Structures are given as C-alpha cells and as structure tokens.
Amino acid sequence: AQSVTQLDSHVSVSEGTPVLLRCNYSSSYSPSLFWYVQHPNKGLQLLLKYTSAATLVKGINGFEAEFKKSETSFHLTKPSAHMSDAAEYFCVVITTGGSYIPTFGRGTSLIVHP
Amino acid sequence: KAGVTQTPRYLIKTRGQQVTLSCSPISGHRSVSWYQQTPGQGLQFLFEYFSETQRNKGNFPGRFSGRQFSNSRSEMNVSTLELGDSALYLCASSLVGAFSYNEQFFGPGTRLTVL
C-alpha cells in the first residue's frame, strides 16, 4: 500500500524568500516520488522526480527536493520565491514493483506576496 | 510540437445521462492516462491505456470506462452520471512507459458539471 501526505494545504511566502513544501510518504516497496505543479486553468507540469538515483533531485525553475528514507519525506524547496511560482503543488508516489498506480497528495497552494 | 488536447473543455450534463470525453496525446506518445480532480477527493487515477489496451485501472466503479484508438487518441465515458461525478477530468500522455519511467504531459482538462 502507498500513501502521501502534504503537510500544509497553504503556504504563504514573500517574493525573494525561501519556499518549503512538505511531503511525507508511505510505501511498501521502493517508491518513486514526483512533484507536479498546476497553474490555474492549466494542466499539471512535472517539476522533478526521484527514482532511486541521487537523493537530492534538481528540477525546473530552481526547485529541488531531497529524498530522506529515514524520515519518509520528499520536501520541495526553492531558495527564492518568484511571483510566477504561485500555484498548486502536488506530491505523487508510485510504488515500483507494485501496480504503478500513482497516489497524489491533496496539494499545497503556494501564495507569493510581493 | 502540439501538447495534449482535450475536448470539450467544459460540459454540463444532468443526472442519469452519459458523457464521452476525448483526449489527443502528443504525437508519438502511446500511453494515455486519465485522472479525476475534485475538491473533496483531490486527484485520483482512473485508468491508463497503452497500445489500445487498458494497462492499469484505479478504484472507480464500472460506470467509468475508456478506450484508445490505433492513433493513440483516447476517449473516456461515464454512464449514468451522478452529482458526484462533477469534476475536472485530466488526460496525460507519455512516450511508452508507465508513470515511473516517463514524464507525463497533462492536458488542460475537461470541466464536467452534473446538475
């Protein structure tokens, strides 16, 4: 079985300050983990993915995430927020060796203040 | 190169009716997946098609069905619509593999409202 919990439904930051979006997962096997972003009225876009290679994963637009097995976490960070980062972010887990059916977190809405 | 397109973008139906949604994947992509997004349940996987065969299926009732054509275009059908089927239905395509191996490219979605 697999599950994913995004610990914050909303995160509010000021432009230029760091971003931290938290994600914890549960998986019976080795997980693959993803972060997707959804801008209003648009489809989801892949930010980055972890598939058992390097634990620190760099993605697009300056985002990165660190896979921590001991903490079952995959938090998304960015050093400096930009107004265009305001969107909904989803953490996704898939259990490799399982059914390859993705489980999505409930999403975190990132609000960026000028 | 053109992205994933979904038609129609908006749809209003009444309870008991059926609906068909269409998805055209990126050229060359052979895998198409469908998702339902609602405020209450979030994003949930419906099913995935690859080379005209359903490869994975989420936990949805049999009223939800789909198919894929030889050109990889896919349709999703919902019969006997219920109020709870009101949602944004997202389609995503990828080159060949399952979710783990290939980036999925999402369409803008079809907003279905059931009255």
Side-chain angles (χ1 to χ4, degrees):
Chain A
Q2 63 190 27
S3 66
V4 60
T5 303
Q6 292 184 241
L7 298 166
D8 306 292
S9 58
H10 296 85
V11 168
S12 182
V13 301
S14 297
E15 191 175 22
T17 63
V19 175
L20 170 63
L21 305 183
R22 299 181 294 166
C23 171
N24 285 357
Y25 71 91
S26 170
S27 175
S28 302
Y29 302 96
S30 299
S32 289
L33 294 153
F34 307 77
W35 277 98
Y36 275 80
V37 61
Q38 185 178 32
H39 290 274
N41 301 315
K42 291 193 175 180
L44 278 74
Q45 180 185 18
L46 178 67
L47 280 176
L48 48 80
K49 65 179 178 182
Y50 166 78
T51 54
S52 78
T55 56
L56 182 62
V57 182
K58 293 189 184 298
I60 62 171
N61 301 334
F63 284 96
E64 63 180 38
E66 186 172 7
F67 173 72
K68 291 187 177 179
K69 186 175 180 179
S70 60
E71 299 176 10
T72 60
S73 69
F74 190 58
H75 301 334
L76 181 70
T77 60
K78 183 174 180 178
S80 176
H82 192 271
M83 294 297 290
S84 60
D85 294 329
E88 191 84 12
Y89 291 79
F90 294 93
C91 183
V92 187
V93 64
I94 276 212
T95 300
T96 54
S99 63
Y100 295 103
I101 292 177
T103 298
F104 287 78
R106 296 304 301 271
T108 298
S109 178
L110 177 63
I111 302 158
V112 182
H113 299 286
Chain B
K1 133 170 145 175
V4 177
T5 57
Q6 293 187 244
T7 56
R9 292 292 311 277
Y10 301 90
L11 206 48
I12 299 175
K13 293 286 188 179
T14 56
R15 277 182 300 174
Q17 287 186 310
Q18 76 165 18
V19 67
T20 299
L21 312 181
S22 180
C23 172
S24 293
I26 291 172
S27 177
H29 285 192
R30 294 168 61 189
S31 169
V32 174
S33 298
W34 288 89
Y35 301 84
Q36 182 195 64
Q37 186 175 22
T38 62
Q41 299 298 320
L43 260 164
Q44 294 182 286
F45 172 81
L46 278 156
F47 31 65
E48 182 211 359
Y49 284 86
F50 179 77
S51 292
E52 303 177 62
T53 301
Q54 187 181 88
R55 188 158 61 176
N56 287 299
K57 188 177 189 301
N59 188 27
F60 277 81
R63 299 186 298 107
F64 291 82
S65 63
R67 60 178 176 169
Q68 187 180 33
F69 302 95
S70 57
N71 61 359
S72 293
R73 189 178 71 85
S74 177
E75 288 182 348
M76 190 193 90
N77 185 78
V78 187
S79 62
T80 321
L81 283 166
E82 301 176 358
L83 295 178
D85 297 332
S86 293
L88 180 67
Y89 290 89
L90 294 166
C91 164
S93 75
S94 62
L95 273 172
V96 293
F99 195 95
S100 288
Y101 302 120
N102 294 96
E103 177 179 354
Q104 292 209 316
F105 293 83
F106 283 78
T110 294
R111 173 75 63 184
L112 172 65
T113 302
V114 182
L115 302 176

mmCIF file of all heavy atoms in Angstrom, chain A residues 10-55:
data_model
loop_
_atom_site.group_PDB
_atom_site.id
_atom_site.type_symbol
_atom_site.label_atom_id
_atom_site.label_comp_id
_atom_site.label_asym_id
_atom_site.label_seq_id
_atom_site.Cartn_x
_atom_site.Cartn_y
_atom_site.Cartn_z
ATOM 1 N N HIS A 10 -1.866 25.206 2.582
ATOM 2 C CA HIS A 10 -1.487 26.513 2.053
ATOM 3 C C HIS A 10 -0.136 26.918 2.635
ATOM 4 O O HIS A 10 0.118 26.689 3.823
ATOM 5 C CB HIS A 10 -2.535 27.579 2.419
ATOM 6 C CG HIS A 10 -3.874 27.340 1.809
ATOM 7 N ND1 HIS A 10 -4.818 26.506 2.376
ATOM 8 C CD2 HIS A 10 -4.432 27.829 0.673
ATOM 9 C CE1 HIS A 10 -5.888 26.492 1.617
ATOM 10 N NE2 HIS A 10 -5.698 27.281 0.580
ATOM 11 N N VAL A 11 0.700 27.512 1.796
ATOM 12 C CA VAL A 11 1.958 28.092 2.253
ATOM 13 C C VAL A 11 2.038 29.486 1.651
ATOM 14 O O VAL A 11 1.843 29.667 0.449
ATOM 15 C CB VAL A 11 3.164 27.243 1.802
ATOM 16 C CG1 VAL A 11 4.466 27.993 2.028
ATOM 17 C CG2 VAL A 11 3.178 25.910 2.536
ATOM 18 N N SER A 12 2.323 30.448 2.509
ATOM 19 C CA SER A 12 2.395 31.833 2.071
ATOM 20 C C SER A 12 3.797 32.365 2.310
ATOM 21 O O SER A 12 4.328 32.239 3.417
ATOM 22 C CB SER A 12 1.368 32.667 2.854
ATOM 23 O OG SER A 12 1.377 34.003 2.414
ATOM 24 N N VAL A 13 4.422 32.928 1.273
ATOM 25 C CA VAL A 13 5.772 33.476 1.384
ATOM 26 C C VAL A 13 5.816 34.827 0.691
ATOM 27 O O VAL A 13 4.946 35.159 -0.121
ATOM 28 C CB VAL A 13 6.829 32.535 0.755
ATOM 29 C CG1 VAL A 13 6.811 31.164 1.419
ATOM 30 C CG2 VAL A 13 6.616 32.403 -0.743
ATOM 31 N N SER A 14 6.857 35.562 0.986
ATOM 32 C CA SER A 14 7.108 36.822 0.280
ATOM 33 C C SER A 14 8.067 36.560 -0.870
ATOM 34 O O SER A 14 8.912 35.657 -0.798
ATOM 35 C CB SER A 14 7.701 37.864 1.223
ATOM 36 O OG SER A 14 6.801 38.183 2.252
ATOM 37 N N GLU A 15 7.912 37.325 -1.924
ATOM 38 C CA GLU A 15 8.805 37.189 -3.063
ATOM 39 C C GLU A 15 10.251 37.362 -2.605
ATOM 40 O O GLU A 15 10.560 38.254 -1.797
ATOM 41 C CB GLU A 15 8.450 38.228 -4.128
ATOM 42 C CG GLU A 15 9.138 38.017 -5.463
ATOM 43 C CD GLU A 15 8.666 38.986 -6.528
ATOM 44 O OE1 GLU A 15 8.148 40.057 -6.158
ATOM 45 O OE2 GLU A 15 8.806 38.665 -7.726
ATOM 46 N N GLY A 16 11.127 36.465 -3.080
ATOM 47 C CA GLY A 16 12.527 36.543 -2.705
ATOM 48 C C GLY A 16 12.909 35.728 -1.484
ATOM 49 O O GLY A 16 14.090 35.574 -1.190
ATOM 50 N N THR A 17 11.929 35.184 -0.773
ATOM 51 C CA THR A 17 12.221 34.366 0.412
ATOM 52 C C THR A 17 12.144 32.886 0.038
ATOM 53 O O THR A 17 11.551 32.524 -0.985
ATOM 54 C CB THR A 17 11.245 34.656 1.552
ATOM 55 O OG1 THR A 17 9.914 34.304 1.144
ATOM 56 C CG2 THR A 17 11.287 36.139 1.928
ATOM 57 N N PRO A 18 12.724 32.014 0.882
ATOM 58 C CA PRO A 18 12.746 30.579 0.543
ATOM 59 C C PRO A 18 11.355 29.946 0.608
ATOM 60 O O PRO A 18 10.465 30.388 1.353
ATOM 61 C CB PRO A 18 13.665 29.984 1.621
ATOM 62 C CG PRO A 18 14.454 31.114 2.145
ATOM 63 C CD PRO A 18 13.567 32.313 2.050
ATOM 64 N N VAL A 19 11.223 28.870 -0.179
ATOM 65 C CA VAL A 19 9.987 28.097 -0.220
ATOM 66 C C VAL A 19 10.260 26.693 0.315
ATOM 67 O O VAL A 19 11.272 26.077 -0.033
ATOM 68 C CB VAL A 19 9.450 27.986 -1.662
ATOM 69 C CG1 VAL A 19 8.226 27.063 -1.721
ATOM 70 C CG2 VAL A 19 9.109 29.367 -2.218
ATOM 71 N N LEU A 20 9.362 26.198 1.156
ATOM 72 C CA LEU A 20 9.427 24.821 1.645
ATOM 73 C C LEU A 20 8.024 24.230 1.594
ATOM 74 O O LEU A 20 7.121 24.694 2.280
ATOM 75 C CB LEU A 20 9.961 24.753 3.075
ATOM 76 C CG LEU A 20 9.847 23.376 3.768
ATOM 77 C CD1 LEU A 20 10.683 22.323 3.044
ATOM 78 C CD2 LEU A 20 10.248 23.471 5.240
ATOM 79 N N LEU A 21 7.842 23.208 0.768
ATOM 80 C CA LEU A 21 6.571 22.490 0.694
ATOM 81 C C LEU A 21 6.849 21.062 1.149
ATOM 82 O O LEU A 21 7.685 20.376 0.575
ATOM 83 C CB LEU A 21 6.020 22.505 -0.742
ATOM 84 C CG LEU A 21 5.848 23.894 -1.383
ATOM 85 C CD1 LEU A 21 5.215 23.752 -2.768
ATOM 86 C CD2 LEU A 21 5.026 24.816 -0.517
ATOM 87 N N ARG A 22 6.109 20.630 2.166
ATOM 88 C CA ARG A 22 6.443 19.373 2.818
ATOM 89 C C ARG A 22 5.585 18.203 2.323
ATOM 90 O O ARG A 22 4.369 18.347 2.140
ATOM 91 C CB ARG A 22 6.304 19.526 4.336
ATOM 92 C CG ARG A 22 7.249 20.585 4.926
ATOM 93 C CD ARG A 22 7.088 20.663 6.429
ATOM 94 N NE ARG A 22 5.782 21.152 6.833
ATOM 95 C CZ ARG A 22 5.297 21.064 8.073
ATOM 96 N NH1 ARG A 22 6.036 20.470 9.015
ATOM 97 N NH2 ARG A 22 4.109 21.547 8.356
ATOM 98 N N CYS A 23 6.257 17.063 2.176
ATOM 99 C CA CYS A 23 5.579 15.856 1.704
ATOM 100 C C CYS A 23 6.144 14.656 2.443
ATOM 101 O O CYS A 23 7.354 14.439 2.449
ATOM 102 C CB CYS A 23 5.777 15.701 0.201
ATOM 103 S SG CYS A 23 5.195 14.123 -0.463
ATOM 104 N N ASN A 24 5.285 13.873 3.068
ATOM 105 C CA ASN A 24 5.662 12.588 3.648
ATOM 106 C C ASN A 24 4.954 11.477 2.889
ATOM 107 O O ASN A 24 3.817 11.645 2.446
ATOM 108 C CB ASN A 24 5.281 12.531 5.127
ATOM 109 C CG ASN A 24 6.226 13.349 5.982
ATOM 110 O OD1 ASN A 24 7.203 13.912 5.497
ATOM 111 N ND2 ASN A 24 5.920 13.413 7.267
ATOM 112 N N TYR A 25 5.596 10.349 2.780
ATOM 113 C CA TYR A 25 5.022 9.257 2.013
ATOM 114 C C TYR A 25 5.063 7.960 2.812
ATOM 115 O O TYR A 25 5.791 7.838 3.792
ATOM 116 C CB TYR A 25 5.771 9.064 0.697
ATOM 117 C CG TYR A 25 7.160 8.496 0.910
ATOM 118 C CD1 TYR A 25 7.386 7.126 0.901
ATOM 119 C CD2 TYR A 25 8.234 9.344 1.148
ATOM 120 C CE1 TYR A 25 8.643 6.608 1.140
ATOM 121 C CE2 TYR A 25 9.494 8.840 1.392
ATOM 122 C CZ TYR A 25 9.692 7.473 1.391
ATOM 123 O OH TYR A 25 10.937 6.971 1.633
ATOM 124 N N SER A 26 4.267 7.014 2.369
ATOM 125 C CA SER A 26 4.299 5.667 2.909
ATOM 126 C C SER A 26 4.245 4.707 1.734
ATOM 127 O O SER A 26 3.423 4.886 0.828
ATOM 128 C CB SER A 26 3.090 5.441 3.829
ATOM 129 O OG SER A 26 2.976 4.091 4.176
ATOM 130 N N SER A 27 5.159 3.729 1.737
ATOM 131 C CA SER A 27 5.207 2.798 0.612
ATOM 132 C C SER A 27 5.754 1.459 1.077
ATOM 133 O O SER A 27 6.705 1.407 1.847
ATOM 134 C CB SER A 27 6.087 3.376 -0.491
ATOM 135 O OG SER A 27 6.238 2.458 -1.546
ATOM 136 N N SER A 28 5.150 0.394 0.581
ATOM 137 C CA SER A 28 5.588 -0.951 0.961
ATOM 138 C C SER A 28 6.874 -1.342 0.254
ATOM 139 O O SER A 28 7.614 -2.191 0.722
ATOM 140 C CB SER A 28 4.499 -1.973 0.631
ATOM 141 O OG SER A 28 3.294 -1.637 1.291
ATOM 142 N N TYR A 29 7.127 -0.761 -0.878
ATOM 143 C CA TYR A 29 8.312 -1.086 -1.659
ATOM 144 C C TYR A 29 9.100 0.185 -1.924
ATOM 145 O O TYR A 29 8.813 1.235 -1.364
ATOM 146 C CB TYR A 29 7.904 -1.745 -2.986
ATOM 147 C CG TYR A 29 7.092 -2.998 -2.838
ATOM 148 C CD1 TYR A 29 5.702 -2.958 -2.909
ATOM 149 C CD2 TYR A 29 7.700 -4.225 -2.626
ATOM 150 C CE1 TYR A 29 4.943 -4.108 -2.764
ATOM 151 C CE2 TYR A 29 6.945 -5.386 -2.493
ATOM 152 C CZ TYR A 29 5.584 -5.311 -2.555
ATOM 153 O OH TYR A 29 4.828 -6.453 -2.409
ATOM 154 N N SER A 30 10.083 0.083 -2.783
ATOM 155 C CA SER A 30 10.862 1.265 -3.146
ATOM 156 C C SER A 30 9.971 2.240 -3.897
ATOM 157 O O SER A 30 9.384 1.895 -4.909
ATOM 158 C CB SER A 30 12.044 0.866 -4.031
ATOM 159 O OG SER A 30 12.898 -0.018 -3.357
ATOM 160 N N PRO A 31 9.881 3.453 -3.409
ATOM 161 C CA PRO A 31 8.996 4.411 -4.067
ATOM 162 C C PRO A 31 9.683 5.211 -5.159
ATOM 163 O O PRO A 31 10.887 5.431 -5.118
ATOM 164 C CB PRO A 31 8.589 5.330 -2.916
ATOM 165 C CG PRO A 31 9.815 5.373 -2.057
ATOM 166 C CD PRO A 31 10.445 3.996 -2.172
ATOM 167 N N SER A 32 8.896 5.629 -6.110
ATOM 168 C CA SER A 32 9.292 6.726 -6.996
ATOM 169 C C SER A 32 8.447 7.917 -6.569
ATOM 170 O O SER A 32 7.250 7.763 -6.295
ATOM 171 C CB SER A 32 9.017 6.382 -8.452
ATOM 172 O OG SER A 32 9.906 5.391 -8.905
ATOM 173 N N LEU A 33 9.051 9.071 -6.499
ATOM 174 C CA LEU A 33 8.364 10.253 -5.988
ATOM 175 C C LEU A 33 8.483 11.392 -6.980
ATOM 176 O O LEU A 33 9.517 11.552 -7.649
ATOM 177 C CB LEU A 33 8.952 10.666 -4.644
ATOM 178 C CG LEU A 33 8.717 9.664 -3.516
ATOM 179 C CD1 LEU A 33 9.797 9.758 -2.466
ATOM 180 C CD2 LEU A 33 7.350 9.888 -2.881
ATOM 181 N N PHE A 34 7.433 12.181 -7.067
ATOM 182 C CA PHE A 34 7.371 13.260 -8.037
ATOM 183 C C PHE A 34 6.766 14.501 -7.377
ATOM 184 O O PHE A 34 5.974 14.401 -6.439
ATOM 185 C CB PHE A 34 6.453 12.880 -9.209
ATOM 186 C CG PHE A 34 6.790 11.571 -9.875
ATOM 187 C CD1 PHE A 34 6.444 10.373 -9.289
ATOM 188 C CD2 PHE A 34 7.417 11.553 -11.105
ATOM 189 C CE1 PHE A 34 6.742 9.155 -9.895
ATOM 190 C CE2 PHE A 34 7.718 10.348 -11.725
ATOM 191 C CZ PHE A 34 7.380 9.159 -11.119
ATOM 192 N N TRP A 35 7.132 15.638 -7.908
ATOM 193 C CA TRP A 35 6.425 16.873 -7.623
ATOM 194 C C TRP A 35 5.912 17.441 -8.941
ATOM 195 O O TRP A 35 6.660 17.562 -9.903
ATOM 196 C CB TRP A 35 7.323 17.913 -6.954
ATOM 197 C CG TRP A 35 7.464 17.749 -5.476
ATOM 198 C CD1 TRP A 35 8.479 17.149 -4.800
ATOM 199 C CD2 TRP A 35 6.550 18.220 -4.478
ATOM 200 N NE1 TRP A 35 8.259 17.216 -3.442
ATOM 201 C CE2 TRP A 35 7.085 17.867 -3.214
ATOM 202 C CE3 TRP A 35 5.338 18.921 -4.513
ATOM 203 C CZ2 TRP A 35 6.447 18.186 -2.004
ATOM 204 C CZ3 TRP A 35 4.714 19.234 -3.317
ATOM 205 C CH2 TRP A 35 5.267 18.871 -2.087
ATOM 206 N N TYR A 36 4.608 17.762 -8.939
ATOM 207 C CA TYR A 36 3.983 18.402 -10.085
ATOM 208 C C TYR A 36 3.434 19.756 -9.652
ATOM 209 O O TYR A 36 3.045 19.943 -8.492
ATOM 210 C CB TYR A 36 2.827 17.554 -10.624
ATOM 211 C CG TYR A 36 3.236 16.470 -11.595
ATOM 212 C CD1 TYR A 36 3.759 15.261 -11.144
ATOM 213 C CD2 TYR A 36 3.111 16.660 -12.965
ATOM 214 C CE1 TYR A 36 4.132 14.276 -12.049
ATOM 215 C CE2 TYR A 36 3.481 15.677 -13.877
ATOM 216 C CZ TYR A 36 3.988 14.490 -13.404
ATOM 217 O OH TYR A 36 4.360 13.510 -14.300
ATOM 218 N N VAL A 37 3.352 20.677 -10.597
ATOM 219 C CA VAL A 37 2.785 21.993 -10.326
ATOM 220 C C VAL A 37 1.594 22.214 -11.263
ATOM 221 O O VAL A 37 1.612 21.774 -12.426
ATOM 222 C CB VAL A 37 3.829 23.115 -10.512
ATOM 223 C CG1 VAL A 37 4.363 23.158 -11.940
ATOM 224 C CG2 VAL A 37 3.247 24.475 -10.136
ATOM 225 N N GLN A 38 0.563 22.839 -10.734
ATOM 226 C CA GLN A 38 -0.629 23.138 -11.535
ATOM 227 C C GLN A 38 -0.948 24.619 -11.411
ATOM 228 O O GLN A 38 -1.334 25.093 -10.348
ATOM 229 C CB GLN A 38 -1.823 22.296 -11.062
ATOM 230 C CG GLN A 38 -3.064 22.462 -11.932
ATOM 231 C CD GLN A 38 -4.214 21.581 -11.463
ATOM 232 O OE1 GLN A 38 -4.371 21.305 -10.281
ATOM 233 N NE2 GLN A 38 -5.033 21.114 -12.396
ATOM 234 N N HIS A 39 -0.786 25.328 -12.509
ATOM 235 C CA HIS A 39 -1.179 26.729 -12.543
ATOM 236 C C HIS A 39 -2.652 26.813 -12.898
ATOM 237 O O HIS A 39 -3.203 25.897 -13.531
ATOM 238 C CB HIS A 39 -0.323 27.499 -13.550
ATOM 239 C CG HIS A 39 1.096 27.661 -13.114
ATOM 240 N ND1 HIS A 39 1.502 28.692 -12.295
ATOM 241 C CD2 HIS A 39 2.201 26.915 -13.356
ATOM 242 C CE1 HIS A 39 2.801 28.574 -12.048
ATOM 243 N NE2 HIS A 39 3.250 27.513 -12.672
ATOM 244 N N PRO A 40 -3.331 27.883 -12.501
ATOM 245 C CA PRO A 40 -4.776 27.994 -12.749
ATOM 246 C C PRO A 40 -5.129 27.762 -14.217
ATOM 247 O O PRO A 40 -4.478 28.293 -15.115
ATOM 248 C CB PRO A 40 -5.081 29.440 -12.329
ATOM 249 C CG PRO A 40 -4.041 29.759 -11.310
ATOM 250 C CD PRO A 40 -2.804 29.034 -11.766
ATOM 251 N N ASN A 41 -6.136 26.936 -14.408
ATOM 252 C CA ASN A 41 -6.647 26.638 -15.748
ATOM 253 C C ASN A 41 -5.617 25.986 -16.665
ATOM 254 O O ASN A 41 -5.732 26.084 -17.892
ATOM 255 C CB ASN A 41 -7.205 27.902 -16.415
ATOM 256 C CG ASN A 41 -8.324 28.515 -15.609
ATOM 257 O OD1 ASN A 41 -9.222 27.804 -15.141
ATOM 258 N ND2 ASN A 41 -8.270 29.813 -15.397
ATOM 259 N N LYS A 42 -4.655 25.334 -16.087
ATOM 260 C CA LYS A 42 -3.656 24.628 -16.885
ATOM 261 C C LYS A 42 -3.486 23.213 -16.350
ATOM 262 O O LYS A 42 -3.849 22.917 -15.209
ATOM 263 C CB LYS A 42 -2.317 25.364 -16.852
ATOM 264 C CG LYS A 42 -2.338 26.694 -17.581
ATOM 265 C CD LYS A 42 -0.939 27.217 -17.775
ATOM 266 C CE LYS A 42 -0.957 28.486 -18.603
ATOM 267 N NZ LYS A 42 0.397 29.031 -18.828
ATOM 268 N N GLY A 43 -2.921 22.367 -17.180
ATOM 269 C CA GLY A 43 -2.651 21.006 -16.742
ATOM 270 C C GLY A 43 -1.453 20.954 -15.823
ATOM 271 O O GLY A 43 -0.766 21.949 -15.606
ATOM 272 N N LEU A 44 -1.191 19.795 -15.266
ATOM 273 C CA LEU A 44 -0.059 19.624 -14.371
ATOM 274 C C LEU A 44 1.240 19.563 -15.165
ATOM 275 O O LEU A 44 1.285 19.041 -16.271
ATOM 276 C CB LEU A 44 -0.206 18.325 -13.569
ATOM 277 C CG LEU A 44 -1.102 18.375 -12.343
ATOM 278 C CD1 LEU A 44 -2.561 18.422 -12.748
ATOM 279 C CD2 LEU A 44 -0.844 17.175 -11.453
ATOM 280 N N GLN A 45 2.296 20.068 -14.543
ATOM 281 C CA GLN A 45 3.617 20.045 -15.163
ATOM 282 C C GLN A 45 4.601 19.423 -14.185
ATOM 283 O O GLN A 45 4.614 19.774 -12.999
ATOM 284 C CB GLN A 45 4.063 21.458 -15.536
ATOM 285 C CG GLN A 45 5.437 21.513 -16.202
ATOM 286 C CD GLN A 45 5.907 22.924 -16.443
ATOM 287 O OE1 GLN A 45 5.412 23.887 -15.848
ATOM 288 N NE2 GLN A 45 6.880 23.085 -17.322
ATOM 289 N N LEU A 46 5.431 18.516 -14.673
ATOM 290 C CA LEU A 46 6.409 17.861 -13.821
ATOM 291 C C LEU A 46 7.507 18.845 -13.415
ATOM 292 O O LEU A 46 8.112 19.498 -14.264
ATOM 293 C CB LEU A 46 7.036 16.674 -14.556
ATOM 294 C CG LEU A 46 8.112 15.914 -13.801
ATOM 295 C CD1 LEU A 46 7.505 15.192 -12.595
ATOM 296 C CD2 LEU A 46 8.818 14.917 -14.716
ATOM 297 N N LEU A 47 7.749 18.933 -12.100
ATOM 298 C CA LEU A 47 8.849 19.754 -11.594
ATOM 299 C C LEU A 47 10.120 18.927 -11.461
ATOM 300 O O LEU A 47 11.201 19.351 -11.860
ATOM 301 C CB LEU A 47 8.500 20.316 -10.217
ATOM 302 C CG LEU A 47 7.599 21.541 -10.148
ATOM 303 C CD1 LEU A 47 7.304 21.860 -8.678
ATOM 304 C CD2 LEU A 47 8.235 22.734 -10.829
ATOM 305 N N LEU A 48 9.982 17.749 -10.850
ATOM 306 C CA LEU A 48 11.129 16.880 -10.649
ATOM 307 C C LEU A 48 10.648 15.497 -10.228
ATOM 308 O O LEU A 48 9.486 15.323 -9.857
ATOM 309 C CB LEU A 48 12.089 17.459 -9.590
ATOM 310 C CG LEU A 48 11.483 17.937 -8.271
ATOM 311 C CD1 LEU A 48 11.211 16.801 -7.322
ATOM 312 C CD2 LEU A 48 12.415 18.953 -7.607
ATOM 313 N N LYS A 49 11.590 14.512 -10.306
ATOM 314 C CA LYS A 49 11.228 13.162 -9.893
ATOM 315 C C LYS A 49 12.420 12.468 -9.259
ATOM 316 O O LYS A 49 13.579 12.740 -9.589
ATOM 317 C CB LYS A 49 10.719 12.343 -11.087
ATOM 318 C CG LYS A 49 11.743 12.083 -12.175
ATOM 319 C CD LYS A 49 11.124 11.248 -13.295
ATOM 320 C CE LYS A 49 12.127 11.007 -14.426
ATOM 321 N NZ LYS A 49 11.536 10.231 -15.539
ATOM 322 N N TYR A 50 12.126 11.585 -8.336
ATOM 323 C CA TYR A 50 13.120 10.731 -7.704
ATOM 324 C C TYR A 50 12.798 9.286 -8.045
ATOM 325 O O TYR A 50 11.692 8.800 -7.804
ATOM 326 C CB TYR A 50 13.091 10.902 -6.176
ATOM 327 C CG TYR A 50 13.847 9.810 -5.470
ATOM 328 C CD1 TYR A 50 15.240 9.831 -5.402
ATOM 329 C CD2 TYR A 50 13.179 8.722 -4.906
ATOM 330 C CE1 TYR A 50 15.931 8.807 -4.787
ATOM 331 C CE2 TYR A 50 13.873 7.697 -4.292
ATOM 332 C CZ TYR A 50 15.247 7.745 -4.231
ATOM 333 O OH TYR A 50 15.944 6.732 -3.627
ATOM 334 N N THR A 51 13.807 8.593 -8.615
ATOM 335 C CA THR A 51 13.580 7.187 -8.969
ATOM 336 C C THR A 51 14.786 6.349 -8.551
ATOM 337 O O THR A 51 15.295 5.554 -9.327
ATOM 338 C CB THR A 51 13.321 7.024 -10.471
ATOM 339 O OG1 THR A 51 14.397 7.635 -11.187
ATOM 340 C CG2 THR A 51 12.019 7.658 -10.877
ATOM 341 N N SER A 52 15.254 6.521 -7.344
ATOM 342 C CA SER A 52 16.313 5.733 -6.685
ATOM 343 C C SER A 52 17.725 6.061 -7.156
ATOM 344 O O SER A 52 18.625 5.279 -6.922
ATOM 345 C CB SER A 52 16.060 4.223 -6.817
ATOM 346 O OG SER A 52 16.419 3.764 -8.103
ATOM 347 N N ALA A 53 17.902 7.168 -7.793
ATOM 348 C CA ALA A 53 19.260 7.622 -8.114
ATOM 349 C C ALA A 53 19.702 8.570 -6.990
ATOM 350 O O ALA A 53 19.565 8.251 -5.838
ATOM 351 C CB ALA A 53 19.286 8.281 -9.479
ATOM 352 N N ALA A 54 20.226 9.725 -7.308
ATOM 353 C CA ALA A 54 20.670 10.674 -6.292
ATOM 354 C C ALA A 54 19.503 11.101 -5.408
ATOM 355 O O ALA A 54 18.397 11.313 -5.881
ATOM 356 C CB ALA A 54 21.276 11.897 -6.971
ATOM 357 N N THR A 55 19.785 11.225 -4.118
ATOM 358 C CA THR A 55 18.705 11.582 -3.187
ATOM 359 C C THR A 55 18.337 13.057 -3.270
ATOM 360 O O THR A 55 17.229 13.429 -2.902
ATOM 361 C CB THR A 55 19.096 11.240 -1.743
ATOM 362 O OG1 THR A 55 20.320 11.908 -1.431
ATOM 363 C CG2 THR A 55 19.272 9.746 -1.565
#
